[in-house]
Amino acid sequence: YEIHKLARYSHRRRKTRPPPLRKVFIQGVCVYSLATFIAIWFCLEVPWSLTNRGGGKTSFGSPEGGVFTKLQAWIISSLVTFIIPSSCVIYIGFDIWRRKLLPKSGRTRVLSLFFLRIVLVFFACYIPGFLAGLVRLSTKSIAVWYSMHVARALMEVSQAMLTLYMACKKYDVGK
């Protein structure tokens, strides 16, 4: 959101100030609160949970007598963890490309490359991680399940670490 706003203002040749610390703090608290809620929703052994951890293996669908079927839980999970975040990134990327908000040369080229790297890391790590999660939940083999579990965890951590690394390598962040 903030990068999209920065691109719009930059394209109009408007000077942009960084968001106030209060706004950054509120956005951060909202994002981490939502992520915590979703993580807890997946982990709790309650009738309205999206996953069932019975038998030592996690599968979609609420525990015995729960609210969600396997298909409903998979659809909700995909929506919350993949479709909505991916749609936001795709929309912002498409809007920036369509409006030509970030030129390939000039002073805003650095911002253009920064945004492009974030999008590439997001999809290079997020899509394979999501697909590994789907394979993990649909397999009967313990070896495949464990391999996909590790692959997904590594992809999720890699996305966060690579994005943080790129943000810190940005020229003006180092100043």
Side-chain angles (χ1 to χ4, degrees), residues 23-115:
K23 182 177 181 181
V24 172
F25 179 76
I26 290 171
Q27 287 175 343
V29 167
C30 289
V31 167
Y32 282 106
S33 297
L34 182 61
T36 301
F37 170 75
I38 291 169
I40 290 170
W41 188 19
F42 277 78
C43 295
L44 288 178
E45 285 290 328
V46 293
W48 44 270
S49 177
L50 289 176
T51 56
N52 182 3
R53 299 189 182 290
K57 185 178 171 192
T58 303
S59 62
F60 276 120
S62 297
E64 188 70 32
V67 178
F68 301 109
T69 66
K70 194 174 203 167
L71 179 62
Q72 289 170 332
W74 184 83
I75 290 169
I76 292 168
S77 172
S78 297
L79 225 125
V80 168
T81 63
F82 182 72
I83 294 170
I84 292 173
S86 297
S87 297
C88 288
V89 171
I90 290 169
Y91 168 75
I92 289 171
F94 178 75
D95 189 57
I96 287 173
W97 171 79
R98 180 178 55 93
R99 294 182 189 192
K100 296 179 180 21
L101 296 179
L102 296 176
K104 292 178 174 63
S105 62
R107 294 184 70 191
T108 57
R109 184 172 192 273
V110 173
L111 181 62
S112 179
L113 292 173
F114 177 69
F115 179 71

Side-chain angles (χ1 to χ4, degrees), residues 146-167:
Y146 184 74
S147 298
M148 293 298 110
H149 180 71
V150 170
R152 182 172 185 189
L154 288 173
M155 288 295 172
E156 289 169 354
V157 169
S158 296
Q159 178 200 348
M161 298 308 286
L162 285 170
T163 302
L164 180 63
Y165 173 76
M166 285 190 295

